[in-house]
Amino acid sequence: MPSTQIYFLPLFVIALVAFCFSCYQRLQLVAVGTSEDRFDRPGERLAGMFRYAFGQERVLARPYGLNHFALFWAFMLLLVANVSFLAEGLFSGFTLSALPAPLHHVLGLAFDLVSVVALVSVAVALARRLFFAPSYLGNDYTKACSGEALLILALIATLMVAFFLLNAAQIALGAEQTLRPVSGALATLLQGMPQASLELVASASWWVHAVVLLLFMNLLPRSKHMHILTAIPNCYFRNLEKPNVQPRESFELGKRFGVSEVAQFSWKDLLDSFSCTECGRCQDLCPAHNTGKPLNPRRIIHDIKVNLLENGVANAGKKQLPLIGEKAEGTSCEDALWSCTTCGACLSVCPVLIEHMPKIVKMRRHLVQEKARFPEELLNLFENMEQRSNPWGIAPSERGKWANLLGDKEFVAGKTEYLFFVGCAGSFDSRAKQTTVALATVLDKAGVTWGILGREELCCGDSVRRLGNEFVFDRMARENVAKFKEKGVTKIVTQCPHCFSTLKNDYRQYGLELEVLHHSELIARLVQEGKLPAAKGVNLGKTLFHDSCYLGRHNDTFAAPRQVIEAATGAAPGEFERQKENGFCCGAGGGRMWMEEQIGTRINHDRVNEALKQQPDTICVSCPYCMTMLEDGLKDQGAEKVRVKDIAEVMAEAIN
């Protein structure tokens, strides 16, 4: 047995056993989580895995992603080279030169060029972290220039340099004949060295490469770079539906509600925690974080991982690190959990499809349903929802009064095509009722038959569900679904994206399968079908359109409201700097509509200030919550001259 194998074999076995044990420990922790079915529709899962993990779709959404894409694929291709390298160290006589000459030459050339790509990518990454790191790379528990990040980059660079020196020495010795342009150029610099020196360079490079490779392999499961091992399966096990829909809870005697301990998360939630790449993109887009709130989606995931590692599998005789409590590494504070607007920005930008917001809602469920510990202003909301099924506690008999002047508008199955689900804001809020009347006007002009439930309409339950009061939501959903089936409803139109998303997505968990349209979709369709009179081109001055999170990011409806505005005004609306998938929340989602912002600056002020930079005359919206938040923000900023109009109001004005 050659001396290399004598020393390398036991080293490799030790490293391999240590690597497997580390992976086993981590996967054992993931297995602590509760069951969740993420094995259905394997074809879709595979397609998504190739799209997001191997195709790096979300990574490439930002310019720097190209560097990560290059490094990722360099590593994927160099896996073959490294497996070959390890095999040569373990088995005497094993060499790629035994392959057919053309294939051997192609592989040699490819490995050389790809190693250059990897080395350049590492240099770019290092320069970025040292000299022009974006703010979101660091936070309160890590820095852009963290020791771990710099160590990993240094190890990769060392691997590449050792690889080139090894090949250069072998070429200079005449032992390697493949076309390797970089290694060949380096070999010319070594040509004058004695053979013994070249052999020493080759041997030293081989051992440096071997030791660093085994060290790197064992660092992965013990660091944040565990994501190199878990990101691909995490993409495979992604939620095939929109992750804005939380799982149902069953209400049985003795059952626990929500999540108060890390083991109550599902195994997929725990896999998420090991898959986080710490890229900071979720942190960069989070409206709560950007306005000085204690919430950081990246920190939520990090704390779950730290908590899992700290508490481990065994609980006996060990004081547990709390999952929810005073802010500390491994513990999420309540202020952070209540700061979330459930806007979905974190969900839409995460390269490895981590589901941040559902975990926050699960912890809210524990606080609300088990501890009755929630912000004081929510007490009235929950009572009003339970007793009168609307946030203000107004008598249900008032729901349909806005339609008194329109005649009988009761929904009748077989005679009425659409149920107009007005929603709480559209029924009770004085400003939102103007949108309700405008939409009714547009539908009548188009000859659409529609009806309402009036006092029989209940709140859809969006806010209480996102706030963690699943018990009240469950009752509302059951009653609404029963009512829709009793009335023979097959099509619903609603002006509120929160009602739209809840009826369309959440109610499917209760067996409701029908067509649900947001009013922007229906109006755009009516325009395309020529059922609306020719618009007069209403003049709104300089117009901006603000994307609703629950219409846009949560339901991928970006084009329809813009089409309505263009049809009504004759011109496409202007855009915010942060728009569509990267749009910025108004601050009202996730039940925040009913809560005061006591920490940091107001989210709606941030959004309004962004708009005022463009000096608009009108801001168009497609959501009653956005309407309220932007109008309040404009008043607070002394910019009352800027109008806020719903797209239904714009179309109604144009056709009248």
Side-chain angles (χ1 to χ4, degrees):
M1 179 182 287
S3 59
T4 299
Q5 289 176 266
I6 293 174
Y7 297 113
F8 181 67
L9 180 59
L11 180 63
F12 174 78
V13 170
I14 292 170
L16 182 61
V17 169
F19 171 75
C20 292
F21 180 70
S22 296
C23 291
Y24 168 75
Q25 282 187 314
R26 295 297 187 263
L27 295 177
Q28 188 184 31
L29 291 176
V30 170
V32 167
T34 60
S35 62
E36 183 177 6
D37 183 13
R38 294 291 183 109
F39 298 91
D40 59 328
R41 294 145 69 182
E44 284 185 55
R45 294 191 178 281
L46 280 172
M49 182 180 74
F50 283 110
R51 175 182 172 186
Y52 294 109
F54 293 104
Q56 303 265 288
E57 181 178 287
R58 290 188 176 180
V59 174
L60 291 169
R62 295 192 179 190
Y64 178 75
L66 183 61
N67 191 65
H68 188 280
F69 179 83
L71 187 58
F72 171 82
W73 274 105
F75 254 85
M76 294 300 294
L77 295 172
L78 288 174
L79 268 178
V80 179
N82 285 318
V83 169
S84 168
F85 174 85
L86 293 174
E88 289 176 6
L90 293 171
F91 308 106
S92 99
F94 182 91
T95 174
L96 288 181
S97 59
L99 294 171
L103 179 58
H104 182 217
H105 290 310
V106 168
L107 287 176
L109 175 62
F111 294 156
D112 221 46
L113 296 179
V114 167
S115 296
V116 173
V117 171
L119 196 56
V120 170
S121 297
V122 166
V124 171
L126 184 61
R128 179 176 185 247
R129 287 182 175 273
L130 290 175
F131 305 118
F132 48 94
S135 59
Y136 59 82
L137 272 184
N139 57 27
D140 56 349
Y141 68 87
T142 189
K143 295 182 173 63
C145 294
S146 67
E148 181 185 320
L150 298 180
L151 174 61
I152 292 293
L153 290 174
L155 290 178
I156 297 173
T158 302
L159 282 173
M160 299 303 107
V161 172
F163 173 82
F164 285 128
L165 283 173
L166 171 61
N167 289 322
Q170 289 178 335
I171 292 172
L173 286 166
E176 178 63 64
Q177 301 299 325
T178 54
L179 177 61
R180 294 178 181 266
V182 180
S183 299
L186 188 56
T188 59
L189 301 177
L190 306 179
Q191 288 291 353
M193 294 177 64
Q195 181 172 341
S197 299
L198 289 173
E199 289 175 350
L200 180 61
V201 170
S203 178
S205 300
W206 192 94
W207 276 106
V208 168
H209 192 281
V211 171
V212 171
L213 181 60
L214 296 180
L215 177 62
F216 182 80
M217 182 175 75
N218 277 278
L219 276 177
L220 296 185
R222 297 287 178 180
S223 70
K224 77 182 183 73
H225 287 80
M226 176 74 176
H227 75 263
I228 293 175
L229 305 175
T230 57
I232 294 174
N234 203 62
C235 289
Y236 177 85
F237 291 119
R238 76 194 191 284
N239 193 330
L240 296 179
E241 308 299 334
K242 280 286 187 180
N244 58 349
V245 178
Q246 283 72 48
R248 286 183 63 178
E249 282 188 321
S250 59
F251 299 94
E252 304 163 0
L253 190 63
K255 183 176 172 58
R256 300 288 302 275
F257 304 114
V259 168
S260 61
E261 299 173 1
V262 73
Q264 292 175 311
F265 281 118
S266 74
W267 65 265
K268 175 57 172 62
D269 289 327
L270 302 184
L271 182 64
D272 274 355
S273 73
F274 285 124
S275 301
C276 180
T277 68
E278 304 275 3
C279 67
R281 294 189 184 198
C282 58
Q283 170 184 324
D284 184 42
L285 287 187
C286 177
H289 179 78
N290 277 290
T291 52
K293 314 293 190 293
L295 173 63
N296 183 339
R298 173 183 174 188
R299 177 66 188 261
I300 293 290
I301 302 302
H302 175 77
D303 284 339
I304 291 172
K305 178 178 72 174
V306 170
N307 192 281
L308 182 61
L309 292 171
E310 178 68 23
N311 292 337
V313 178
N315 299 326
K318 183 179 179 182
K319 184 178 180 181
Q320 294 289 289
L321 178 67
L323 182 67
I324 306 171
E326 294 297 322
K327 186 176 181 180
E329 193 168 14
T331 301
S332 296
C333 69
E334 293 181 24
D335 283 337
L337 300 179
W338 291 117
S339 295
C340 180
T341 67
T342 67
C343 69
C346 52
L347 301 173
S348 69
V349 77
C350 180
V352 293
L353 309 182
I354 287 170
E355 297 158 23
H356 317 70
M357 179 261 285
K359 296 172 182 52
I360 293 173
V361 173
K362 287 178 181 180
M363 289 188 275
R364 283 181 173 183
R365 286 180 179 181
H366 163 73
L367 293 173
V368 171
Q369 297 178 144
E370 287 202 1
K371 296 297 183 181
R373 198 162 68 228
F374 44 79
E376 187 176 349
E377 59 262 47
L378 293 182
L379 182 60
N380 283 337
L381 173 72
F382 290 155
E383 288 179 348
N384 290 336
M385 288 291 200
E386 285 193 77
Q387 295 169 9
R388 295 196 167 186
S389 193
N390 69 79
W392 298 278
I394 299 173
S397 58
E398 300 291 311
R399 267 196 183 268
K401 284 195 172 181
W402 65 270
N404 283 348
L405 298 178
L406 301 179
D408 183 16
K409 286 297 180 180
E410 181 182 358
F411 177 84
V412 180
K415 295 183 179 179
T416 313
E417 183 178 7
Y418 286 95
L419 169 66
F420 180 8
F421 191 89
V422 184
C424 299
S427 299
F428 299 117
D429 181 80
S430 58
R431 180 64 184 87
K433 280 194 281 188
Q434 297 176 39
T435 302
T436 306
V437 173
L439 178 56
T441 302
V442 171
L443 295 179
D444 286 342
K445 285 282 187 180
V448 175
T449 57
W450 58 275
I452 61 175
L453 296 178
R455 64 179 300 154
E456 293 184 89
E457 182 182 291
L458 302 176
C459 177
C460 69
D462 162 76
S463 287
V464 290
R465 182 168 228 199
R466 271 71 195 176
L467 286 168
N469 198 335
E470 184 72 4
F471 180 81
V472 172
F473 171 79
D474 184 76
R475 192 191 72 186
M476 287 179 169
R478 290 176 186 274
E479 292 179 5
N480 272 325
V481 169
K483 180 67 66 178
F484 295 154
K485 290 181 177 179
E486 173 195 335
K487 294 286 187 178
V489 176
T490 59
K491 296 180 180 180
I492 293 178
V493 60
T494 180
Q495 71 195 55
C496 175
H498 297 265
C499 297
F500 165 67
S501 187
T502 303
L503 299 176
K504 178 182 178 181
N505 301 315
D506 297 64
Y507 278 27
R508 291 173 62 188
Q509 296 176 334
Y510 293 82
L512 186 69
E513 295 285 348
L514 43 74
E515 183 181 6
V516 183
L517 295 175
H518 183 256
H519 73 318
S520 64
E521 297 176 309
L522 181 55
I523 297 174
R525 180 189 297 178
L526 295 172
V527 169
Q528 291 170 359
E529 293 174 352
K531 293 182 178 179
L532 283 171
K536 298 178 181 178
V538 59
N539 183 15
L540 300 178
K542 185 175 182 179
T543 306
L544 292 180
F545 177 68
H546 164 79
D547 285 287
S548 157
C549 300
Y550 270 72
L551 182 63
R553 266 195 300 263
H554 282 314
N555 287 282
D556 298 321
T557 303
F558 298 106
R562 289 170 168 82
Q563 291 169 356
V564 172
I565 296 170
E566 185 170 1
T569 65
E575 300 285 0
F576 280 76
E577 182 181 346
R578 295 173 290 188
Q579 53 163 295
K580 297 183 180 177
E581 292 89 347
N582 294 318
F584 196 76
C585 183
C586 73
R592 292 291 320 180
M593 177 73 178
W594 321 108
M595 300 165 66
E596 285 297 324
E597 288 187 60
Q598 308 287 0
I599 305 172
T601 57
R602 291 183 178 274
I603 294 174
N604 63 333
H605 287 184
D606 190 301
R607 189 57 163 168
V608 162
N609 287 334
E610 181 182 349
L612 293 178
K613 290 177 183 177
Q614 299 193 47
Q615 299 181 328
D617 298 299
T618 306
I619 301 175
C620 290
V621 298
S622 55
C623 171
Y625 288 4
C626 296
M627 172 82 75
T628 298
M629 299 302 283
L630 293 182
E631 284 193 336
D632 287 352
L634 288 168
K635 290 176 185 175
D636 293 341
Q637 302 299 80
E640 295 96 330
K641 291 183 179 180
V642 180
R643 298 168 295 177
V644 182
K645 284 183 172 289
D646 187 88
I647 58 170
E649 295 178 299
V650 175
M651 180 56 73
E653 185 177 341
I655 62 178
N656 284 328

PDB file of all heavy atoms in Angstrom, residues 38 102 104 109 125 196-197 268 288 314 355 365 380 382 442 455 472 488 527 552 633 637 655:
ATOM      1  N   ARG A  38     -45.446  16.465   3.229  1.00  0.00           N
ATOM      2  CA  ARG A  38     -44.788  17.220   2.166  1.00  0.00           C
ATOM      3  C   ARG A  38     -44.239  16.256   1.111  1.00  0.00           C
ATOM      4  O   ARG A  38     -43.215  16.522   0.503  1.00  0.00           O
ATOM      5  CB  ARG A  38     -43.631  18.045   2.749  1.00  0.00           C
ATOM      6  CG  ARG A  38     -44.061  19.159   3.704  1.00  0.00           C
ATOM      7  CD  ARG A  38     -44.793  20.284   2.994  1.00  0.00           C
ATOM      8  NE  ARG A  38     -45.144  21.373   3.882  1.00  0.00           N
ATOM      9  CZ  ARG A  38     -44.588  22.570   3.874  1.00  0.00           C
ATOM     10  NH1 ARG A  38     -43.628  22.839   3.018  1.00  0.00           N
ATOM     11  NH2 ARG A  38     -44.991  23.505   4.712  1.00  0.00           N
ATOM     12  N   PRO A 102     -10.390  11.527 -25.198  1.00  0.00           N
ATOM     13  CA  PRO A 102     -11.183  12.754 -25.415  1.00  0.00           C
ATOM     14  C   PRO A 102     -11.945  13.189 -24.152  1.00  0.00           C
ATOM     15  O   PRO A 102     -11.970  14.368 -23.811  1.00  0.00           O
ATOM     16  CB  PRO A 102     -12.147  12.354 -26.537  1.00  0.00           C
ATOM     17  CG  PRO A 102     -11.456  11.227 -27.249  1.00  0.00           C
ATOM     18  CD  PRO A 102     -10.737  10.479 -26.188  1.00  0.00           C
ATOM     19  N   HIS A 104     -11.234  12.418 -21.039  1.00  0.00           N
ATOM     20  CA  HIS A 104     -10.263  12.835 -20.033  1.00  0.00           C
ATOM     21  C   HIS A 104      -9.823  14.278 -20.272  1.00  0.00           C
ATOM     22  O   HIS A 104      -9.725  15.094 -19.345  1.00  0.00           O
ATOM     23  CB  HIS A 104      -9.054  11.888 -20.066  1.00  0.00           C
ATOM     24  CG  HIS A 104      -8.027  12.199 -19.031  1.00  0.00           C
ATOM     25  ND1 HIS A 104      -6.670  12.076 -19.259  1.00  0.00           N
ATOM     26  CD2 HIS A 104      -8.138  12.673 -17.763  1.00  0.00           C
ATOM     27  CE1 HIS A 104      -6.018  12.432 -18.176  1.00  0.00           C
ATOM     28  NE2 HIS A 104      -6.869  12.790 -17.255  1.00  0.00           N
ATOM     29  N   LEU A 109      -9.980  20.069 -18.879  1.00  0.00           N
ATOM     30  CA  LEU A 109     -10.206  21.460 -19.269  1.00  0.00           C
ATOM     31  C   LEU A 109     -11.335  22.077 -18.444  1.00  0.00           C
ATOM     32  O   LEU A 109     -11.223  23.206 -17.948  1.00  0.00           O
ATOM     33  CB  LEU A 109     -10.535  21.530 -20.760  1.00  0.00           C
ATOM     34  CG  LEU A 109     -10.908  22.910 -21.319  1.00  0.00           C
ATOM     35  CD1 LEU A 109      -9.740  23.874 -21.160  1.00  0.00           C
ATOM     36  CD2 LEU A 109     -11.328  22.799 -22.787  1.00  0.00           C
ATOM     37  N   ALA A 125     -16.894  37.651  -3.597  1.00  0.00           N
ATOM     38  CA  ALA A 125     -17.635  37.548  -2.338  1.00  0.00           C
ATOM     39  C   ALA A 125     -16.853  38.155  -1.188  1.00  0.00           C
ATOM     40  O   ALA A 125     -17.410  38.857  -0.324  1.00  0.00           O
ATOM     41  CB  ALA A 125     -17.957  36.078  -2.050  1.00  0.00           C
ATOM     42  N   ALA A 196      12.859  16.792  -7.444  1.00  0.00           N
ATOM     43  CA  ALA A 196      12.513  16.547  -6.048  1.00  0.00           C
ATOM     44  C   ALA A 196      11.645  17.675  -5.495  1.00  0.00           C
ATOM     45  O   ALA A 196      10.696  17.444  -4.729  1.00  0.00           O
ATOM     46  CB  ALA A 196      13.778  16.395  -5.213  1.00  0.00           C
ATOM     47  N   SER A 197      11.959  18.896  -5.897  1.00  0.00           N
ATOM     48  CA  SER A 197      11.166  20.043  -5.441  1.00  0.00           C
ATOM     49  C   SER A 197       9.757  19.996  -6.016  1.00  0.00           C
ATOM     50  O   SER A 197       8.770  20.304  -5.328  1.00  0.00           O
ATOM     51  CB  SER A 197      11.854  21.349  -5.835  1.00  0.00           C
ATOM     52  OG  SER A 197      13.124  21.448  -5.234  1.00  0.00           O
ATOM     53  N   LYS A 268     -40.819  20.159   8.864  1.00  0.00           N
ATOM     54  CA  LYS A 268     -40.448  21.077   7.781  1.00  0.00           C
ATOM     55  C   LYS A 268     -40.052  22.446   8.334  1.00  0.00           C
ATOM     56  O   LYS A 268     -39.127  23.093   7.826  1.00  0.00           O
ATOM     57  CB  LYS A 268     -41.601  21.220   6.788  1.00  0.00           C
ATOM     58  CG  LYS A 268     -41.368  22.243   5.667  1.00  0.00           C
ATOM     59  CD  LYS A 268     -40.109  21.940   4.870  1.00  0.00           C
ATOM     60  CE  LYS A 268     -39.995  22.836   3.640  1.00  0.00           C
ATOM     61  NZ  LYS A 268     -39.885  24.268   3.961  1.00  0.00           N
ATOM     62  N   ALA A 288     -41.603  45.790   8.820  1.00  0.00           N
ATOM     63  CA  ALA A 288     -41.450  46.000  10.259  1.00  0.00           C
ATOM     64  C   ALA A 288     -39.990  46.299  10.601  1.00  0.00           C
ATOM     65  O   ALA A 288     -39.690  47.248  11.335  1.00  0.00           O
ATOM     66  CB  ALA A 288     -41.942  44.766  11.022  1.00  0.00           C
ATOM     67  N   ALA A 314     -33.390  15.550  24.217  1.00  0.00           N
ATOM     68  CA  ALA A 314     -33.713  15.162  25.586  1.00  0.00           C
ATOM     69  C   ALA A 314     -34.035  16.388  26.430  1.00  0.00           C
ATOM     70  O   ALA A 314     -33.362  17.406  26.357  1.00  0.00           O
ATOM     71  CB  ALA A 314     -32.536  14.401  26.193  1.00  0.00           C
ATOM     72  N   GLU A 355     -40.360  29.390   5.069  1.00  0.00           N
ATOM     73  CA  GLU A 355     -41.690  29.923   5.379  1.00  0.00           C
ATOM     74  C   GLU A 355     -41.652  30.621   6.742  1.00  0.00           C
ATOM     75  O   GLU A 355     -41.912  30.020   7.779  1.00  0.00           O
ATOM     76  CB  GLU A 355     -42.712  28.784   5.343  1.00  0.00           C
ATOM     77  CG  GLU A 355     -42.824  28.158   3.955  1.00  0.00           C
ATOM     78  CD  GLU A 355     -43.388  26.736   3.964  1.00  0.00           C
ATOM     79  OE1 GLU A 355     -44.089  26.389   4.929  1.00  0.00           O
ATOM     80  OE2 GLU A 355     -43.103  25.984   3.015  1.00  0.00           O
ATOM     81  N   ARG A 365     -50.663  32.048  17.839  1.00  0.00           N
ATOM     82  CA  ARG A 365     -51.771  31.190  18.272  1.00  0.00           C
ATOM     83  C   ARG A 365     -51.586  30.745  19.719  1.00  0.00           C
ATOM     84  O   ARG A 365     -52.550  30.690  20.489  1.00  0.00           O
ATOM     85  CB  ARG A 365     -51.872  29.962  17.362  1.00  0.00           C
ATOM     86  CG  ARG A 365     -52.450  30.244  15.987  1.00  0.00           C
ATOM     87  CD  ARG A 365     -52.521  28.969  15.161  1.00  0.00           C
ATOM     88  NE  ARG A 365     -53.104  29.221  13.847  1.00  0.00           N
ATOM     89  CZ  ARG A 365     -53.308  28.282  12.926  1.00  0.00           C
ATOM     90  NH1 ARG A 365     -52.962  27.023  13.174  1.00  0.00           N
ATOM     91  NH2 ARG A 365     -53.849  28.582  11.763  1.00  0.00           N
ATOM     92  N   ASN A 380     -60.921  44.314  22.369  1.00  0.00           N
ATOM     93  CA  ASN A 380     -62.183  44.772  21.771  1.00  0.00           C
ATOM     94  C   ASN A 380     -62.415  44.118  20.416  1.00  0.00           C
ATOM     95  O   ASN A 380     -63.547  43.749  20.077  1.00  0.00           O
ATOM     96  CB  ASN A 380     -62.189  46.291  21.623  1.00  0.00           C
ATOM     97  CG  ASN A 380     -62.441  47.007  22.934  1.00  0.00           C
ATOM     98  OD1 ASN A 380     -63.023  46.442  23.858  1.00  0.00           O
ATOM     99  ND2 ASN A 380     -61.992  48.248  23.025  1.00  0.00           N
ATOM    100  N   PHE A 382     -61.378  41.145  19.317  1.00  0.00           N
ATOM    101  CA  PHE A 382     -61.806  39.752  19.463  1.00  0.00           C
ATOM    102  C   PHE A 382     -63.241  39.657  19.979  1.00  0.00           C
ATOM    103  O   PHE A 382     -64.024  38.819  19.521  1.00  0.00           O
ATOM    104  CB  PHE A 382     -60.852  39.016  20.412  1.00  0.00           C
ATOM    105  CG  PHE A 382     -59.476  38.796  19.840  1.00  0.00           C
ATOM    106  CD1 PHE A 382     -58.375  38.643  20.677  1.00  0.00           C
ATOM    107  CD2 PHE A 382     -59.273  38.750  18.469  1.00  0.00           C
ATOM    108  CE1 PHE A 382     -57.104  38.435  20.155  1.00  0.00           C
ATOM    109  CE2 PHE A 382     -58.003  38.553  17.932  1.00  0.00           C
ATOM    110  CZ  PHE A 382     -56.924  38.394  18.786  1.00  0.00           C
ATOM    111  N   VAL A 442     -70.341  50.173 -11.306  1.00  0.00           N
ATOM    112  CA  VAL A 442     -69.617  49.572 -12.431  1.00  0.00           C
ATOM    113  C   VAL A 442     -70.273  48.264 -12.856  1.00  0.00           C
ATOM    114  O   VAL A 442     -70.467  47.996 -14.054  1.00  0.00           O
ATOM    115  CB  VAL A 442     -68.135  49.346 -12.052  1.00  0.00           C
ATOM    116  CG1 VAL A 442     -67.419  48.529 -13.134  1.00  0.00           C
ATOM    117  CG2 VAL A 442     -67.426  50.679 -11.847  1.00  0.00           C
ATOM    118  N   ARG A 455     -77.515  41.484   6.152  1.00  0.00           N
ATOM    119  CA  ARG A 455     -77.242  41.210   7.560  1.00  0.00           C
ATOM    120  C   ARG A 455     -76.766  39.778   7.795  1.00  0.00           C
ATOM    121  O   ARG A 455     -76.201  39.466   8.852  1.00  0.00           O
ATOM    122  CB  ARG A 455     -78.476  41.495   8.414  1.00  0.00           C
ATOM    123  CG  ARG A 455     -79.681  40.603   8.122  1.00  0.00           C
ATOM    124  CD  ARG A 455     -80.839  40.961   9.033  1.00  0.00           C
ATOM    125  NE  ARG A 455     -80.472  40.800  10.434  1.00  0.00           N
ATOM    126  CZ  ARG A 455     -81.038  41.461  11.442  1.00  0.00           C
ATOM    127  NH1 ARG A 455     -81.965  42.364  11.194  1.00  0.00           N
ATOM    128  NH2 ARG A 455     -80.671  41.235  12.681  1.00  0.00           N
ATOM    129  N   VAL A 472     -61.843  31.501  16.829  1.00  0.00           N
ATOM    130  CA  VAL A 472     -62.888  32.378  16.290  1.00  0.00           C
ATOM    131  C   VAL A 472     -62.933  32.263  14.772  1.00  0.00           C
ATOM    132  O   VAL A 472     -64.019  32.212  14.174  1.00  0.00           O
ATOM    133  CB  VAL A 472     -62.653  33.837  16.728  1.00  0.00           C
ATOM    134  CG1 VAL A 472     -63.626  34.777  16.022  1.00  0.00           C
ATOM    135  CG2 VAL A 472     -62.799  33.970  18.232  1.00  0.00           C
ATOM    136  N   GLY A 488     -76.463  28.487  -2.450  1.00  0.00           N
ATOM    137  CA  GLY A 488     -76.146  28.091  -3.819  1.00  0.00           C
ATOM    138  C   GLY A 488     -75.167  29.015  -4.511  1.00  0.00           C
ATOM    139  O   GLY A 488     -75.224  29.205  -5.733  1.00  0.00           O
ATOM    140  N   VAL A 527     -63.874  44.955 -19.060  1.00  0.00           N
ATOM    141  CA  VAL A 527     -63.299  45.879 -20.043  1.00  0.00           C
ATOM    142  C   VAL A 527     -62.857  45.115 -21.282  1.00  0.00           C
ATOM    143  O   VAL A 527     -63.143  45.517 -22.423  1.00  0.00           O
ATOM    144  CB  VAL A 527     -62.109  46.646 -19.423  1.00  0.00           C
ATOM    145  CG1 VAL A 527     -61.340  47.395 -20.512  1.00  0.00           C
ATOM    146  CG2 VAL A 527     -62.587  47.616 -18.353  1.00  0.00           C
ATOM    147  N   GLY A 552     -51.371  41.202  -4.499  1.00  0.00           N
ATOM    148  CA  GLY A 552     -50.180  41.008  -5.312  1.00  0.00           C
ATOM    149  C   GLY A 552     -49.352  39.815  -4.900  1.00  0.00           C
ATOM    150  O   GLY A 552     -49.461  38.737  -5.479  1.00  0.00           O
ATOM    151  N   GLY A 633     -51.717  58.458   6.420  1.00  0.00           N
ATOM    152  CA  GLY A 633     -50.315  58.841   6.277  1.00  0.00           C
ATOM    153  C   GLY A 633     -50.154  60.184   5.595  1.00  0.00           C
ATOM    154  O   GLY A 633     -49.310  60.998   5.987  1.00  0.00           O
ATOM    155  N   GLN A 637     -48.567  63.666   7.162  1.00  0.00           N
ATOM    156  CA  GLN A 637     -47.430  64.313   6.512  1.00  0.00           C
ATOM    157  C   GLN A 637     -47.817  65.663   5.906  1.00  0.00           C
ATOM    158  O   GLN A 637     -47.004  66.284   5.209  1.00  0.00           O
ATOM    159  CB  GLN A 637     -46.861  63.402   5.412  1.00  0.00           C
ATOM    160  CG  GLN A 637     -46.399  62.026   5.899  1.00  0.00           C
ATOM    161  CD  GLN A 637     -45.300  62.106   6.925  1.00  0.00           C
ATOM    162  OE1 GLN A 637     -45.534  62.347   8.100  1.00  0.00           O
ATOM    163  NE2 GLN A 637     -44.064  61.904   6.494  1.00  0.00           N
ATOM    164  N   ILE A 655     -66.704  56.099 -16.433  1.00  0.00           N
ATOM    165  CA  ILE A 655     -67.841  55.664 -17.269  1.00  0.00           C
ATOM    166  C   ILE A 655     -69.097  56.477 -17.019  1.00  0.00           C
ATOM    167  O   ILE A 655     -70.073  56.359 -17.762  1.00  0.00           O
ATOM    168  CB  ILE A 655     -68.157  54.169 -17.054  1.00  0.00           C
ATOM    169  CG1 ILE A 655     -68.562  53.901 -15.602  1.00  0.00           C
ATOM    170  CG2 ILE A 655     -66.974  53.313 -17.451  1.00  0.00           C
ATOM    171  CD1 ILE A 655     -68.937  52.455 -15.334  1.00  0.00           C
TER     172      ILE A 655
END
